[in-house]
Amino acid sequence: MAEEKLDPKVPSEQNGTLERANGNEEPSELSPNNLQNDEDEEKGDEEKEASKKKKKKNKNKKKKAPSEQTNVPSVLAQTDPPSIPVIDLFPSGEFPEGEIQDYKDDNLWRTTSEEKRELERLERPMYNSVRRAAEVHRQVRKYMKSIVKPGMLMTELCETLENTVRKLISENGLEAGIAFPTGCSLNWVAAHWTPNAGDKTVLQYDDVMKLDFGTHIDGLIVDSAFTVAFNPMYDPLLEASREATNTGIKIHAGKSVPIVKGGEQTKMEEGEFFAIETFGSTGKGYVREDLECSHYMKNFDVGHIPLRLPRAKQLLATINKNFSTLAFCRRYLDRLGETKYLMALKNLCDAGIVQPYPPLCDVRGSYVSQFEHTILLRPTCKEVISRGDDY
């Protein structure tokens, strides 16, 4: 056995000897009693040390409990009524993907193309923005379905919906907000009706209401609509338009879309957004412009047109600042503080700067239903952006 060498710089206790640190002193006499006492003291010290460690562990466990809970990824739940912006509900900044449908036939090659996948990776920020708008749409319509009932004033219904959109999308000028006026067309009115100021229309039990609204982020619009009917006698009408819309989504990918009967056909292109909507009607199935106008939109390609009326110039400045080429309605102008603007608005329409969109109506006494979704033709697949658990 090799002789153990002791480091003179290390204290004697650490070198495994009972010598005192001062080498000039004599070692203490070792007796059986002294050894026993030393062993008892060591055992007592070890027990105390073990007890202290256990207490420390218990304290640590008690202290860690709250922090352990905070470390778990928190999923915020939306309030009722909704009030939390969706961007706060998704701390990662990533929003849910819509329904994915694979391309078929001539476009099947896209699903495995590495080049197309790379194009999608480059467009991810844009996809995420429009998905944020879609999540707002889903949460708002879920809430509206829970509160809409016969006896509601149509103005109250629209303002509740629009204010909820403003909260959840964190409205910010032209960067985020409402994409167009809330359509709540009733019965034979198919589209483009929203109440103007002073309208006292009340939702009735036997009404068929098309609730059509849009959200947008940076001009990327999610346009989706559904129909509300309290009387079950209208269920087959609603189901017909819902299924027709779903069928249209399945076939409208790379297929031609007839703009008018027998007219030019337009091809859907990669990277484009499309709103697929289907109307079911108990009437003739043809619409015409009728009733008082509420929807307006500035023309996309209008150049500089001189205006004589100062009031028209001022109103145009308000439209440019707050809506640009997004659709708006009279209630939105009222909300901005505009008054006595009807003559100026007519002047802008007559000059071709602003386009009026009157309500579209079938024959009186008929009932029209509508369902609509927004789809994105991605390079490798088709995404139904606005799809939800409801429709």
Side-chain angles (χ1 to χ4, degrees), residues 4 6 30 50 126 134 155 169 197 222-223 234 247 297 344 380:
E4 183 179 359
L6 304 181
L30 301 180
M126 183 268 284
T155 300
I169 207 163
V222 172
D223 182 0
Y234 300 117
T247 300
M297 186 169 69
T380 67

Side-chain angles (χ1 to χ4, degrees), residues 336-352:
L336 292 170
E338 291 289 341
T339 59
K340 300 179 181 179
Y341 55 78
L342 290 181
M343 183 66 72
L345 184 58
K346 183 179 185 302
N347 183 243
L348 293 176
C349 292
D350 291 343

Side-chain angles (χ1 to χ4, degrees), residues 205-206 229-237:
Y205 175 77
D206 286 323
F230 306 103
N231 193 328
M233 68 179 287
Y234 300 117
D235 288 351
L237 177 65

Side-chain angles (χ1 to χ4, degrees), residues 172-378:
N172 181 24
L174 295 174
E175 294 180 7
I178 298 170
F180 52 82
T182 303
C184 51
S185 306
L186 298 174
N187 305 325
W188 68 86
V189 183
H192 297 169
W193 186 88
T194 198
N196 286 323
D199 192 290
K200 300 299 182 183
T201 304
V202 174
L203 184 62
Q204 304 294 331
Y205 175 77
D206 286 323
D207 284 339
V208 175
M209 177 180 66
K210 282 71 65 182
L211 203 51
D212 188 351
F213 69 100
T215 57
H216 84 92
I217 299 290
D218 295 327
L220 299 170
I221 296 175
V222 172
D223 182 0
S224 186
F226 60 97
T227 301
V228 175
F230 306 103
N231 193 328
M233 68 179 287
Y234 300 117
D235 288 351
L237 177 65
L238 271 62
E239 184 62 23
S241 56
R242 181 191 294 110
E243 288 305 311
T245 297
N246 287 331
T247 300
I249 290 171
K250 291 178 182 178
I251 66 174
H252 282 76
K255 305 294 183 181
S256 59
V257 182
I259 303 301
V260 293
K261 186 177 181 180
E264 181 186 0
Q265 294 190 341
T266 301
K267 286 280 188 179
M268 285 182 164
E269 299 293 340
E270 174 187 304
E272 292 182 328
F273 290 89
F274 288 91
I276 304 296
E277 59 183 336
T278 306
F279 293 89
S281 176
T282 63
K284 292 183 177 180
Y286 293 96
V287 294
R288 68 191 187 286
E289 294 181 351
D290 195 6
L291 305 178
E292 182 181 50
C293 186
S294 58
H295 286 51
Y296 302 86
M297 186 169 69
K298 183 184 174 185
N299 285 324
F300 288 97
D301 53 359
V302 67
H304 174 72
I305 297 178
L307 295 169
R308 292 184 179 180
L309 292 178
R311 184 70 180 88
K313 293 179 181 178
Q314 187 270 326
L315 182 62
L316 180 58
T318 297
I319 292 170
N320 285 333
K321 178 182 178 181
N322 294 279
F323 309 113
S324 184
T325 56
L326 290 172
F328 61 93
C329 64
R330 294 189 198 176
R331 286 187 297 104
Y332 293 0
L333 294 176
D334 299 337
R335 186 173 181 268
L336 292 170
E338 291 289 341
T339 59
K340 300 179 181 179
Y341 55 78
L342 290 181
M343 183 66 72
L345 184 58
K346 183 179 185 302
N347 183 243
L348 293 176
C349 292
D350 291 343
I353 298 173
V354 171
Q355 179 69 42
Y357 288 89
L360 301 175
C361 305
D362 203 330
V363 294
R364 285 182 178 268
S366 64
Y367 294 92
V368 179
S369 66
Q370 173 199 16
F371 280 86
E372 178 181 18
H373 274 302
T374 295
I375 66 172
L376 166 61
L377 299 185
R378 286 166 47 181

Side-chain angles (χ1 to χ4, degrees), residues 45-60:
D45 292 339
E46 288 174 359
E47 290 175 358
K48 289 179 181 178
E49 190 65 27
S51 178
K52 288 180 181 179
K53 288 181 180 179
K54 285 183 180 180
K55 288 181 180 179
K56 284 183 180 180
K57 286 182 180 179
N58 291 335
K59 287 181 180 179
N60 290 336

